[in-house]
């Protein structure tokens, strides 16, 4: 029966730690539609480049982009900051640069989560050096307790407390990215 197949897992265990359901698949879908609506209105008649930040944003990116109905291009950065830990190393490394030219283009960075803000600060410096026409950020999750960036994040899916979350692209030591919903460490 469909209702059984769609029943969300309430708890999952990853690397021997227990996580509980935090944001359901349904709530994520609904919020993505709202964010896409705002982006479609804002970029009507333009051709922005949506830039995903790998690995974490890959599922959010693919769900968001399919709700976008303006002409657009896509590209990806790959960064690493967390290693296998639950706390950011604070050391951002660029593992893959862009293939596109951002000069004079409307740029929209798509992130899974902004925690310390160090990754986004790094990306902003990198992109704005090349003089884009505009620079915006959309993030599915935003940990407002941690953020140390001095610029506004334009589009936020959900503001969350400073808890470690997994699923829907977000990993714990590379696991759990395939979970359909977002789960929080169950303390
Ligand atoms: P920041 O540089 O501290 O803002 O962290 C950015 C990156 O760390 C995000 O793009 C995620 O990939 C990862 N990250 C931050 N918080 C979490 C979390 O709670 N769970 C899993 N990954 C996280
Ligand atoms: Mg990320």
């Amino acid at each position: 029966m469909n209702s059984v197949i769609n029943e969300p897992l309430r708890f999952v265990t990853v690397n021997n730690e227990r996580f509980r359901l935090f944001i359901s698949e349904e709530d994520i879908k609904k919020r993505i539609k709202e964010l896409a609506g705002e982006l479609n209105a804002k970029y009507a008649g333009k051709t922005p480049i949506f830039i995903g930040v790998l690995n974490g944003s890959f599922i959010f990116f693919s769900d968001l982009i399919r709700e976008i109905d303006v002409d657009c291009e896509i590209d990806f950065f790959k960064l690493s900051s967390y290693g296998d830990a639950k706390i950011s190393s604070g050391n951002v490394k660029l593992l893959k640069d862009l293939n596109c030219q951002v000069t004079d283009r409307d740029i929209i960075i798509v992130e899974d989560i902004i925690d310390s803000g160090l990754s986004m600060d790094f990306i902003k410096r990198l992109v704005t050096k090349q003089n884009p026409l505009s620079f915006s950020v959309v993030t599915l999750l935003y940990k407002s307790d941690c953020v140390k960036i001095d610029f506004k994040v334009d589009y936020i899916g959900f503001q969350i407390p400073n808890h470690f979350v997994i699923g829907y692209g977000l990993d714990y030591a590379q696991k759990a990215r395939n979970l359909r919903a977002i789960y929080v460490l169950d303390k």
Side-chain angles (χ1 to χ4, degrees):
M1 248 163 56
N2 272 346
S3 60
V4 173
I5 293 167
N6 291 335
E7 196 66 44
L9 293 169
R10 300 199 61 79
F11 293 95
V12 293
T13 301
V14 179
N15 298 325
N16 291 319
E17 293 190 74
R18 206 165 105 111
F19 291 78
R20 70 183 149 74
L21 184 63
F22 184 51
I23 308 174
S24 71
E25 207 183 335
E26 202 179 44
D27 288 347
I28 298 171
K29 274 205 180 111
K30 188 166 159 250
R31 188 69 187 115
I32 288 177
K33 283 209 158 78
E34 292 168 358
L35 291 171
E38 290 180 45
L39 290 163
N40 286 329
K42 168 97 187 280
Y43 292 93
K46 302 183 176 168
T47 307
I49 310 177
F50 284 85
I51 297 178
V53 187
L54 297 172
N55 290 337
S57 74
F58 78 110
I59 295 182
F60 174 47
F61 188 96
S62 60
D63 281 349
L64 179 72
I65 205 77
R66 283 177 291 177
E67 298 293 335
I68 297 297
D69 58 22
V70 300
D71 262 358
C72 62
E73 298 174 20
I74 68 163
D75 202 350
F76 296 94
F77 273 123
K78 185 171 164 81
L79 297 187
S80 134
S81 74
Y82 261 47
D84 284 346
K86 290 205 289 284
I87 298 167
S88 175
S89 68
N91 183 8
V92 183
K93 272 186 278 181
L94 181 65
L95 303 180
K96 182 213 165 288
D97 205 343
L98 299 175
N99 294 108
C100 65
Q101 297 296 319
V102 306
T103 308
D104 295 332
R105 300 295 305 269
D106 290 302
I107 301 301
I108 305 162
I109 305 293
V110 181
E111 251 293 28
D112 51 351
I113 185 165
I114 297 181
D115 178 1
S116 68
L118 285 171
S119 307
M120 195 47 71
D121 189 59
F122 179 90
I123 288 173
K124 189 174 183 197
R125 284 165 204 271
L126 215 63
V127 171
T128 53
K129 252 196 333 214
Q130 299 169 58
N131 300 313
L133 191 60
S134 68
F135 177 88
S136 299
V137 174
V138 48
T139 184
L140 180 64
L141 304 172
Y142 183 86
K143 289 187 192 171
S144 35
D145 290 357
C146 302
V147 174
K148 297 180 197 119
I149 42 178
D150 59 0
F151 61 92
K152 194 176 132 275
V153 175
D154 309 80
Y155 304 93
I156 295 175
F158 302 91
Q159 286 218 17
I160 63 167
N162 182 22
H163 295 147
F164 187 71
V165 290
I166 58 168
Y168 197 73
L170 291 141
D171 73 304
Y172 178 16
Q174 298 309 324
K175 291 190 185 148
R177 294 194 196 273
N178 54 322
L179 294 172
R180 304 180 72 95
I182 295 171
Y183 292 79
V184 66
L185 197 58
D186 190 36
K187 290 265 180 192

